[in-house]
Amino acid sequence: MTVKDIFETMDYGPAPESAAEALAWLVDQGDRFGHFIDGDFTEAGEGFESKNPATGEVLAVLTQATQGDVDAAVAAARKAQPKWEKLGGHGRAKHLYAIARLLQKHARLFAVLETLDNGKPIREARDIDVPLVQRHFYFHAGMAQLMESELPDREALGVCGQIIPWNFPLLMLAWKVAPALAMGNTVVLKPAEYTSLTALLFADICRKAGLPKGVVNIVTGDGAVGEMIVGHPDIDKIAFTGSTEVGRKIRAATAGSGKALTLELGGKSPYIVFDDADIDSAVEGLVDAIWFNQGQVCCAGSRLLVQEGIAERFIDKLKARMDKLRVGDPLDKCIDMGALADPVQLQTVRDMVDGCTDGEIHRLNAQLPAGGCYYPPTLITGLEPSHPLMQEEIFGPVLVSTTFRTPAEAVALANNTRYGLAATVWTENVNLALDIAPKLVAGVVWVNATNLFDAAAGFGGVRESGYGREGGWEGLQSYTKPKGKAKPLARQEPFAGDKIEPETVDRTAKLYIGGKQARPDGGYSRDVWSKSGKHLGEVPIASRKDIRNAVEAARGAAGWSKTTGHLRAQILYYIAENLSARADEFSHRIDALSGHHGAKEVEASIRRLFTYAAWADKYDGQAKGVPIRGVALSMREPVGVIGAICPDEAPLLGLVSVMAPAIAMGNRAVLVASEAMPLAATDFYQVLDTSDVPAGVANILTGSHAELAGTLASHLDVDAVWSFSSSDISGLIERESAGNLKRTWVNNGLARDWMGTEGEGRAFLDAATEVKTIWVPYGE
Ligand code: NAI
């Protein structure tokens, strides 16, 4: 090649990173790995090969964990947990700091091993994955240090089972392990079967850092081992990142077990480009959105929505940029894209694209290296929004695109998905960007940037992208619980009786749906008796149809979610005022219904309404300082439609305690009143009627908790279900919620003191809101 040729082609030479040290580390370990349990590696057993997807070469042999291995790991974690928690925040902070330091000292070894095992470009492993891993441990060393002063009412959950995928093996480990340990939990982690090597290197680092035995345990194997962890009776929480399909299975498998659960699942995230965007930056951003990590990113900007006026120019520029992408040896520092993680994934992506006979497919036209899991950067234009490839996660370097005309159409297309993980918006108009960001149904929104991550900023989805957040203060929620031990809740049976005294004028209790009193669809009612056996009246028995009507009414009241906290506060005060005006009547009603002291319950209900009126305009988000040019805004958004099964034991206070936080935060509620003592709720809708509560914001039904819970939990238009019922329905609700992966908050048969502080406060506000992280350019 002549100098002239070089100038003409301007080709890069190869700049290979050496694999020697990482391969030597594997040889040192004997090329065979057991599990890391109770501070030591076990003997390697029956297992499977871990291969380099770029070459097919076997890197090591891993052990498939048996039930005995999982039991041993859980037992070690259980044994270590109390001592680890008692070490205190500072004690744990020192350990996390030591791990962060060691991760820095061995940064290159981790990066090269990750690239060998996963196929991602060394440039990404070295400059993105590994630095973010270190950052996560530093950040959470700080969280451990601050736990006692900042989270004085919270404590560790216990033993956490953590199951992670193969796209960011070490980073996902860090996202799971660091917050868990910081809050005093111990862990049993299972890396993905394709990519376990950096987790095993991390185990070695834990040993070097002097982490107490049993605090971190790592077992290797496939989905069957994941199932053993999920089903283990001595695990308190499952944290999972992976496919929506497996997430759904895990939701169903853990239903009724009392285990806490967070799910970080798939996505089909929109990448929206408006006609005033800086087009070159938006093209460059898109390269990062969809071809970073070969597109194997849960929040990949895999759906391009570009405004019609610039679509042609944008696509031309994109194709030109695509055609310059370099796909090749992941260890070469000059490549843009490496290999997919496994031949199975390669085949899945191939099948999905080859099965597409619509639209127009453009692929990088270059010779790909032979023998590895390489797939060219691909763009498919001209698909209908309902096309399977516009809706399904491809999880590879394949971008689909369509156009839109107006901002409203962009939002409609963006939200036309069962997922809700992330979204990107490009425009030079700050008004437009900040108008669109709140309208996108997604857990994370990037403005004029994409794929930004930081330990301080929460990450996680809505809809079928899962629930729970990783990172930030909000991420700690998933690794702690309120201090104290709850007592079991006995089933509260309705009272029976036979003393019927004729009333002067009949008072007919009805359901309250869409701001109107409604007769039950089924046409059935039942008697309500006082504790002393006196007939108090009849209540309607709501059916599935009534639930559906109430949900529809709640959906229709979407405007409530856009009202200001100030307005909602005024309405809550007004409800309190009107309840106060009828305090005596409610007090007598509760006396009769429950035999308790009704006056106290009414007084507590008024107080509670004041509490949430107070919170309505104060439970705000935060602005997070992140170490890049920008600020991450954590905005608290209403969850949407919340179905709540109210406590049986406090007929008025129970209803108010779940309704008030829900509507204070902008949700609409479908409330199933106390089954045993429903009549205070049917009186209460008259209070709502006179308090300017818009129709559909609070709907009240009466009937059997066990019969109505399943319908609420399986309803696709309900976003969350809470239950404080004394009926045994927690498992049913969790199981039925798996359909659309709605959030659940159930009592698992445990009592709550509604009169006391545990009957109100942040736990309710957190459950009534979801954090959306919006990254905006800010500062230099
Ligand atoms: P997967 O969801 O099956 O695997 C993720 C992890 O879950 C692995 O550690 C696996 O061993 C474990 N697992 C599998 N079945 C399990 C079960 N029944 N119970 C408990 N744990 C189980 O993902 P897979 O098969 O590796 O990839 C399939 C598709 O999932 C991808 O094509 C992609 O669409 C999606 N995916 C999404 C990810 C994300 O970050 N959201 C990550 C990985 C995959």
Side-chain angles (χ1 to χ4, degrees):
M1 185 180 271
T2 64
V3 172
K4 184 165 173 277
D5 288 340
I6 291 172
F7 269 103
E8 265 168 16
T9 59
M10 284 298 274
D11 210 2
Y12 294 84
E17 173 78 31
S18 164
E21 291 219 19
L23 294 173
W25 181 79
L26 290 171
V27 172
D28 273 357
Q29 312 302 309
D31 290 330
R32 294 183 75 83
F33 289 86
H35 313 293
F36 184 68
I37 297 175
D38 206 16
D40 272 313
F41 282 99
T42 61
E43 284 291 312
E46 284 287 300
F48 54 98
E49 290 173 337
S50 187
K51 292 182 181 165
N52 178 346
T55 59
E57 158 204 13
V58 176
L59 294 168
V61 178
L62 306 177
T63 302
Q64 169 81 4
T66 60
Q67 185 65 53
D69 295 328
V70 172
D71 290 348
V74 174
R78 176 61 63 198
K79 187 159 151 257
Q81 197 273 329
K83 225 170 149 190
W84 175 244
E85 188 170 11
K86 282 203 197 81
L87 203 56
H90 179 57
R92 295 196 300 276
K94 284 194 285 187
H95 281 291
L96 290 171
Y97 174 71
I99 292 174
R101 276 293 197 201
L102 280 165
L103 283 164
Q104 268 178 324
K105 287 178 202 163
H106 299 281
R108 195 55 71 94
L109 177 59
F110 272 107
V112 175
L113 191 61
E114 194 77 313
T115 285
L116 285 173
D117 203 15
N118 166 281
K120 64 176 67 206
I122 182 68
R123 203 171 41 79
E124 292 177 6
R126 182 195 64 192
D127 299 345
I128 298 170
D129 295 47
V130 172
L132 279 173
V133 169
Q134 297 157 6
R135 163 91 179 125
H136 227 74
F137 276 93
Y138 276 117
F139 181 84
H140 284 96
M143 286 304 201
Q145 181 71 26
L146 296 177
M147 184 180 182
E148 278 133 32
S149 66
E150 299 308 304
L151 304 168
D153 304 328
R154 309 217 34 112
E155 63 184 11
L157 288 168
V159 175
C160 301
Q162 307 185 314
I163 300 167
I164 56 173
W166 38 260
N167 51 348
F168 294 92
L170 187 66
L171 185 57
M172 290 302 105
L173 173 149
W175 281 20
K176 298 267 180 291
V177 170
L181 263 47
M183 296 294 106
N185 303 280
T186 53
V187 305
V188 175
L189 176 129
K190 189 195 87 63
E193 50 273 39
Y194 307 152
T195 55
S196 304
L197 296 179
T198 47
L200 295 165
L201 175 57
F202 177 79
D204 208 20
I205 290 289
C206 291
R207 249 192 340 197
K208 278 205 180 106
L211 194 70
K213 288 178 179 210
V215 170
V216 168
N217 304 276
I218 293 172
V219 289
T220 51
D222 60 14
V225 181
E227 282 179 40
M228 291 174 201
I229 294 175
V230 167
H232 201 289
D234 203 24
I235 284 183
D236 302 292
K237 184 226 158 87
I238 298 291
F240 172 75
T241 298
S243 60
T244 295
E245 191 194 339
V246 172
R248 217 186 297 282
K249 279 193 202 158
I250 293 178
R251 169 65 292 179
T254 53
S257 67
K259 289 188 180 95
L261 177 65
T262 46
L263 299 172
E264 203 272 89
L265 309 174
K268 189 78 182 177
S269 299
Y271 187 97
I272 309 169
V273 186
F274 286 100
D275 59 8
D276 66 347
D278 170 347
I279 293 190
D280 291 320
S281 298
V283 167
E284 211 46 47
L286 190 49
V287 169
D288 188 33
I290 184 64
W291 293 306
F292 168 53
N293 205 30
Q294 296 69 247
Q296 303 166 123
V297 183
C298 51
C299 54
S302 52
R303 235 176 356 127
L304 168 65
L305 309 178
V306 55
Q307 200 156 11
E308 224 169 67
I310 56 160
E312 213 180 303
R313 194 152 61 97
F314 188 86
I315 296 288
D316 284 349
K317 279 189 179 244
L318 178 63
K319 285 181 180 166
R321 181 68 181 89
M322 259 177 90
D323 293 342
K324 293 250 164 6
L325 289 174
R326 295 164 58 91
V327 181
D329 176 8
L331 281 171
D332 181 347
K333 286 170 231 163
C334 294
I335 60 115
D336 297 302
M337 250 182 59
L340 304 198
D342 191 85
V344 173
Q345 280 305 307
L346 179 65
Q347 197 53 46
T348 307
V349 174
R350 261 193 199 138
D351 290 347
M352 286 182 93
V353 177
D354 293 351
C356 175
T357 49
D358 308 302
E360 205 179 290
I361 301 184
H362 179 84
R363 288 193 182 86
L364 169 74
N365 186 16
Q367 187 67 36
L368 302 181
C373 299
Y374 294 101
Y375 194 85
T378 302
L379 164 70
I380 311 181
T381 49
L383 296 179
E384 290 294 319
S386 59
H387 192 279
L389 291 193
M390 290 290 281
Q391 294 290 335
E392 296 308 321
E393 187 175 40
I394 300 175
F395 223 66
V398 183
L399 176 69
V400 292
S401 97
T402 191
T403 59
F404 66 88
R405 289 186 189 156
T406 62
E409 200 189 340
V411 170
L413 282 170
N415 292 342
N416 176 14
T417 164
R418 62 193 172 105
Y419 297 112
L421 192 50
T424 302
V425 180
W426 286 84
T427 168
E428 290 298 287
N429 179 348
V430 65
N431 301 316
L432 181 60
L434 298 182
D435 176 49
I436 295 293
K439 293 179 180 156
L440 296 170
V441 184
V444 185
V445 176
W446 293 291
V447 174
N448 290 336
T450 202
N451 274 341
L452 300 179
F453 309 100
D454 183 57
F459 182 90
V462 294
R463 291 183 175 167
E464 293 187 32
S465 293
Y467 38 75
R469 293 289 175 265
E470 299 191 290
W473 291 99
E474 53 270 39
L476 303 180
Q477 204 62 34
S478 322
Y479 284 104
T480 55
K481 62 176 174 11
K483 278 187 178 161
K485 209 166 161 50
K487 294 198 188 78
L489 176 64
R491 160 102 174 128
Q492 171 102 40
E493 297 292 346
F495 298 119
D498 55 8
K499 283 185 252 170
I500 300 189
E501 292 162 19
E503 270 193 74
T504 37
V505 181
D506 181 62
R507 267 176 76 181
T508 306
K510 291 195 184 156
L511 307 176
Y512 186 62
I513 298 176
K516 293 200 187 80
Q517 299 185 26
R519 267 191 278 277
D521 184 75
Y524 286 101
S525 299
R526 78 161 178 89
D527 294 316
V528 181
W529 306 91
S530 76
K531 197 172 180 190
S532 61
K534 205 177 125 204
H535 191 249
L536 296 175
E538 299 196 339
V539 278
I541 301 178
S543 63
R544 288 154 181 256
K545 180 77 167 67
D546 299 307
I547 290 269
R548 288 200 281 266
N549 290 342
V551 172
E552 200 178 316
R555 274 278 143 208
W560 180 252
S561 299
K562 299 197 185 91
T563 54
T564 62
H566 175 59
L567 178 105
R568 297 194 295 268
Q570 282 175 288
I571 289 180
L572 283 156
Y573 282 128
Y574 198 19
I575 301 174
E577 180 187 322
N578 286 323
L579 178 59
S580 174
R582 295 174 60 174
D584 286 347
E585 177 201 333
F586 273 94
S587 162
H588 290 135
R589 183 61 117 178
I590 297 166
D591 286 345
L593 273 172
S594 68
H596 298 154
H597 198 346
K600 269 197 187 155
E601 188 169 332
V602 175
E603 170 53 29
S605 302
I606 294 169
R607 196 182 277 262
R608 195 134 293 162
L609 287 161
F610 262 64
T611 297
Y612 290 109
W615 272 123
D617 53 4
K618 295 174 193 66
Y619 199 62
D620 291 321
Q622 291 178 323
K624 309 279 180 71
V626 283
I628 28 185
R629 192 186 71 93
V631 63
L633 306 174
S634 297
M635 304 300 287
R636 290 211 169 257
E637 294 192 341
V639 171
V641 172
I642 298 179
I645 316 273
C646 299
D648 284 300
E649 63 274 26
L652 177 68
L653 179 61
L655 180 100
V656 166
S657 300
V658 295
M659 180 203 73
I663 70 172
M665 294 296 103
N667 301 283
R668 292 91 75 197
V670 175
L671 303 152
V672 182
S674 163
E675 180 176 338
M677 299 182 265
L679 287 178
T682 55
D683 294 342
F684 186 68
Y685 62 62
Q686 296 168 356
V687 174
L688 296 180
D689 246 351
T690 52
S691 306
D692 291 346
V693 180
V697 169
N699 305 277
I700 300 178
L701 305 178
T702 48
S704 156
H705 288 182
E707 275 168 31
L708 298 177
T711 310
L712 257 187
S714 60
H715 199 301
L716 296 181
D717 274 340
V718 172
D719 301 294
V721 174
W722 302 352
S723 173
F724 303 100
S725 173
S726 70
S727 297
D728 179 15
I729 52 174
S730 296
L732 167 75
I733 289 173
E734 289 183 333
R735 209 165 23 256
E736 292 298 321
S737 73
N740 69 344
L741 286 163
K742 60 175 68 66
R743 293 171 66 185
T744 57
W745 185 26
V746 295
N747 63 358
N748 289 313
L750 296 174
R752 186 175 284 266
D753 171 16
W754 294 101
M755 283 291 201
T757 49
E758 65 181 37
E760 66 177 25
R762 286 180 185 273
F764 290 82
L765 296 162
D766 283 336
T769 52
E770 191 58 274
V771 173
K772 178 191 263 182
T773 304
I774 303 176
W775 294 72
V776 289
Y778 185 79
E780 278 183 37

